[in-house]
Amino acid sequence: MTTSTVDAAVPGPFTLIPEKTALIVIDMQRDFILPGGFGESLGNDVDMLLKVVPPLADLIAAARSAGMLVIHTREGHEPDLSDCPPAKLNRGAPSRRIGDPGKFGRILIRGEYGHDIIDELAPIEGEVVIDKPGKGAFYATDLQQILTDAGITQLLVTGVTTEVCVHTTTREANDRGYECLVVSDCVGSYFPDFQRVGLEMICAQGGIFGWVADSAAVIPAIAALPVSPEPAPVSQR
Ligand code: TIU
């Protein structure tokens, strides 16, 4: 097994083990990133998230070239909202609530245009898409079983938003024993302070939740890995 190291990671070097590493791309959905969706309905400036797209597209391309498992998640709910707790539906006095009509269809409802992943980062054949009702990608999903079946022990964590779904998922993963490297320019927040402090919180205290490095450090480390064969579809693993 040949490995590669992200030397510039904080709090220290992170060794990538290709067969055991997956890239997880959290909630890069139109409803969070484009005007007219859930993010904006909560009063946020969605432009803040757009800058994540170019480096994340490059990182996904590097992971695909290395034959790494790529997993996408989408936050959202059944059309009848049976999986959306009233506490979530009513939270934050949004101008439009989950399930209300938005510019891209009903907000955060599975099957609607706004619920899906932006065109630039669309999943390709063989990649896993996890639909999740919560902020964390492990809650009420098959993610842990998929990772176990695929022999994954390390996650490169990306997506939006840094302090909400990225943090929740990283914390859930950390508690389940996964080593997480959060890629700093491939995660985004509507709030610059939360972006900065959110990243600091991951790697403080000797890496209490994981490691942090930017894509300029991670992409060359991925490119230095030997190319693995195309990962088999998860159903065949
Ligand atoms: N509001 C906010 O910052 N985020 C979310 O509601 N979901 C995700 O982070 N995906």
Side-chain angles (χ1 to χ4, degrees), residues 18 28 41 50 55 73 97 104 128 132 135 144 150 161 184 198 215 217 227:
M28 292 301 289
S41 81
L50 280 174
T73 71
R97 289 175 195 278
F104 302 118
V128 178
K132 63 186 181 69
K135 304 306 182 191
Q144 184 156 9
T161 63
S184 55
S215 61
V227 178

Side-chain angles (χ1 to χ4, degrees), residues 17-218:
I17 307 168
E19 300 85 346
K20 299 187 175 207
T21 307
L23 170 64
I24 183 162
V25 183
I26 297 174
D27 300 358
M28 292 301 289
Q29 296 159 258
R30 299 185 182 102
D31 266 339
F32 290 111
I33 291 163
L34 302 182
F38 183 61
E40 194 178 70
S41 81
L42 294 172
N44 297 309
D45 175 4
V46 293
D47 282 348
M48 292 296 298
L49 302 190
L50 280 174
K51 61 179 171 215
V52 169
V53 177
L56 182 47
D58 291 345
L59 183 65
I60 293 171
R64 285 173 180 159
S65 296
M68 209 174 259
L69 176 64
V70 179
I71 299 171
H72 305 257
T73 71
R74 300 184 295 201
E75 181 179 349
H77 298 279
E78 300 290 350
D80 64 1
L81 297 177
S82 55
D83 59 352
C84 184
K88 181 177 183 184
L89 199 57
N90 297 329
R91 194 78 54 80
S95 60
R96 280 162 292 143
R97 289 175 195 278
I98 295 168
D100 284 353
K103 189 169 164 188
F104 302 118
R106 292 180 65 202
I107 290 174
L108 282 198
I109 298 297
R110 293 182 192 145
E112 300 286 343
Y113 183 75
H115 171 265
D116 211 350
I117 293 165
I118 58 171
D119 294 337
E120 296 90 327
L121 305 180
I124 61 171
E125 178 93 28
E127 294 181 348
V128 178
V129 179
I130 301 275
D131 279 320
K132 63 186 181 69
K135 304 306 182 191
F138 287 86
Y139 170 67
T141 73
D142 295 334
L143 179 58
Q144 184 156 9
Q145 192 60 54
I146 289 168
L147 296 176
T148 301
D149 291 349
I152 300 298
T153 62
Q154 306 186 314
L155 296 174
L156 302 177
V157 186
T158 66
V160 297
T161 63
T162 307
E163 75 279 14
V164 181
C165 292
V166 170
H167 246 261
T168 307
T169 299
T170 303
R171 291 170 187 231
E172 287 181 330
N174 183 61
D175 278 352
R176 286 164 173 77
Y178 297 96
E179 292 182 321
C180 297
L181 186 156
V182 177
V183 187
S184 55
D185 53 336
C186 295
V187 296
S189 170
Y190 302 116
F191 305 94
D193 287 350
F194 290 176
Q195 172 76 1
R196 180 178 54 77
V197 176
L199 289 169
E200 284 176 17
M201 288 167 70
I202 298 288
C203 58
Q205 305 181 64
I208 194 77
F209 298 127
W211 286 254
V212 174
D214 66 12
S215 61
V218 176

